[in-house]
Amino acid sequence: MFRSARIRLAAWYVLIMLSISILVSSFVFAAINEELRRIEYIQQSIEVNGRIPASVTMPRGPMRVHIMPLDTNEVRARILTFMVLINVGLGVFVGLVSYFLAGKTLQPIQEMVTLQKRFIADASHELRTPLTSLKTATEVSLLDKKLTLSQAKVLLKENLVEVNHMQVLTENLLRLSTLETLTQPLMEKLSLSEVLSAARKKVSPLAKEKSITINSPKIAFFVMGDSNALKELFVILLDNGIKYSPAHTTITIQAHRSRSNAVIEIIDEGIGINTPDLPKIFDRFYRADTSRTGNAGYGLGLSIAKKIIQQHRGSITARNNPNKGSTFTVALPLQK
Ligand code: ADP
């Protein structure tokens, strides 16, 4: 598909360039032809009258005029051949350059289409498993003639859990796809302290459930950003910290300045991340060893976090703590 689009685009480039070149060549040839006609007129006049006609303006000043007999038709033919050759050469050269440039023009579109195809394939793969289990459970129950009302209610409850999971998954997928197409969010001056406390508030019911304490100092940094997106980013990190930590532990938020960046660290005392998984956890649908993590999510949170950070021209990294748990480090450019 992209090969034929590339050839068509290159053909358009060639057509435009050649049209301009042929137009210019025609003007040049018309001007030369006019001059050749003048020479023919002078030659004819010399042949008939033995002198240059009075109507022909010649350069002023003392000079001798040597007029050699000139075969104007031969000159015309040679100029025409030369121009045709130049245009053919130009056509070949422009064709090659255009093919290269068309490839360069189409490359980002091709990358986007590949990304979208992969996204759709991943999303359908993730949705197929819960849908299949929903379908099978419903079909088996429908075939059971002795199905009681209470059994049907249990089945409906189980189905509802699956439906809720799928809802979260589709919402996350939609969010990721919006972030992938959105190039620049609405930026405003934000207090990091306010963003972080809004994120803390959002996750506090989950933290309370597991008796996890979140410690956060007063942070006096201001950044340029989209407040909802940055809140979402810290909710994802705090939510993971809670999900992957045992009860009665502490999550600590730290902040410091590094050159022109505000650096925020979210340190938990949880299960940590296996070293081979560290470079992959920001990939879409990547979940580290589910036997350790307990299949707690869909592997989309950190890819959403990474997209948000990229849009804010910041960075996000993860590392394991020397003793226990992991640390996620976010760097955001400070507001000047
Ligand atoms: P999920 O919805 O599965 O949590 P994420 O993209 O947020 O998806 O995280 C990807 C994987 O990274 C998780 O499945 C988990 O294995 C690992 N992970 C993320 N945060 C932490 C953390 N704070 N502690 C330990 N592992 C983590």
Side-chain angles (χ1 to χ4, degrees):
M1 173 193 155
F2 274 96
R3 208 178 142 71
S4 72
R6 188 178 182 178
I7 291 171
R8 258 182 289 153
L9 192 61
W12 274 108
Y13 287 157
V14 173
L15 192 74
I16 294 167
M17 278 303 290
L18 273 187
S19 309
I20 297 171
S21 166
I22 289 171
L23 200 73
V24 171
S25 305
S26 313
F27 282 129
V28 171
F29 186 74
I32 293 172
N33 199 31
E34 200 46 48
E35 280 309 301
L36 287 174
R37 276 215 197 101
R38 212 167 81 98
I39 292 169
E40 278 166 358
Y41 174 58
I42 294 170
Q43 284 186 166
Q44 271 168 14
S45 184
I46 291 172
E47 256 174 48
V48 177
N49 307 322
R51 62 184 169 85
I52 295 170
S55 60
V56 174
T57 45
M58 296 298 291
R60 284 197 196 158
M63 63 180 291
R64 265 195 202 125
V65 183
H66 298 278
I67 294 179
M68 305 273 293
L70 185 70
D71 185 348
T72 48
N73 283 334
E74 194 206 325
V75 173
R76 234 180 236 113
R78 278 171 62 185
I79 289 175
L80 206 64
T81 316
F82 181 66
M83 279 183 167
V84 169
L85 282 178
I86 282 214
N87 277 297
V88 170
L90 195 75
V92 173
F93 175 72
V94 169
L96 291 175
V97 173
S98 300
Y99 188 70
F100 172 76
L101 287 181
K104 284 258 164 234
T105 314
L106 291 173
Q107 196 177 347
I109 305 169
Q110 188 171 10
E111 279 167 8
M112 218 164 88
V113 171
T114 315
L115 212 73
Q116 270 182 352
K117 272 191 191 160
R118 207 181 319 141
F119 186 85
I120 293 168
D122 287 349
S124 10
H125 177 78
E126 288 297 316
L127 279 167
R128 200 166 31 196
T129 318
L131 272 175
T132 312
S133 78
L134 257 180
K135 189 173 172 244
T136 317
T138 313
E139 277 172 354
V140 169
S141 304
L142 280 176
L143 286 175
D144 185 357
K145 292 199 175 88
K146 291 182 204 135
L147 188 78
T148 62
L149 185 65
S150 62
Q151 281 173 325
K153 275 191 176 169
V154 170
L155 174 83
L156 285 176
K157 267 188 197 154
E158 282 169 3
N159 282 359
L160 194 63
V161 173
E162 287 290 342
V163 170
N164 284 339
H165 280 176
M166 281 198 290
Q167 195 179 11
V168 175
L169 175 59
T170 45
E171 274 164 13
N172 280 341
L173 280 171
L174 217 61
R175 179 70 183 124
L176 199 58
S177 121
T178 318
L179 283 167
E180 261 165 15
T181 44
L182 191 82
T183 43
Q184 183 72 53
L186 264 180
M187 298 289 206
E188 54 178 331
K189 186 181 172 183
L190 297 172
S191 148
L192 261 183
S193 191
E194 279 172 24
V195 175
L196 276 164
S197 67
R200 273 182 63 177
K201 209 167 154 194
K202 182 98 194 271
V203 298
S204 70
L206 287 171
K208 231 180 227 165
E209 246 175 56
K210 284 179 88 172
S211 306
I212 288 178
T213 316
I214 303 177
N215 285 333
S216 172
K218 264 244 157 282
I219 299 168
F221 298 135
F222 285 86
V223 292
M224 286 301 284
D226 174 337
S227 71
N228 284 331
L230 287 185
K231 182 180 147 195
E232 188 182 358
L233 159 81
F234 290 115
V235 166
I236 291 169
L237 299 181
L238 289 172
D239 183 61
N240 278 351
I242 298 166
K243 260 192 321 199
Y244 302 113
S245 293
H248 306 287
T249 50
T250 303
I251 295 175
T252 309
I253 302 175
Q254 283 182 357
H256 65 270
R257 187 190 173 131
S258 168
R259 292 201 203 111
S260 56
N261 287 329
V263 178
I264 304 104
E265 289 183 318
I266 295 173
I267 308 155
D268 66 48
E269 298 171 349
I271 57 168
I273 301 157
N274 281 336
T275 316
D277 289 325
L278 274 172
K280 301 177 201 155
I281 54 169
F282 294 98
D283 293 350
R284 215 167 39 202
F285 294 115
Y286 192 81
R287 278 162 288 193
D289 184 7
T290 46
S291 59
R292 287 173 72 241
T293 58
N295 205 1
Y298 293 102
L300 287 177
L302 288 181
S303 38
I304 293 177
K306 192 170 181 185
K307 278 270 163 259
I308 294 174
I309 274 294
Q310 279 170 346
Q311 287 186 340
H312 285 77
R313 299 180 208 292
S315 66
I316 182 165
T317 52
R319 64 171 195 275
N320 280 315
N321 302 330
N323 38 2
K324 204 160 84 169
S326 49
T327 296
F328 282 80
T329 307
V330 168
L332 284 166
L334 281 164
Q335 206 263 332
K336 284 163 201 147

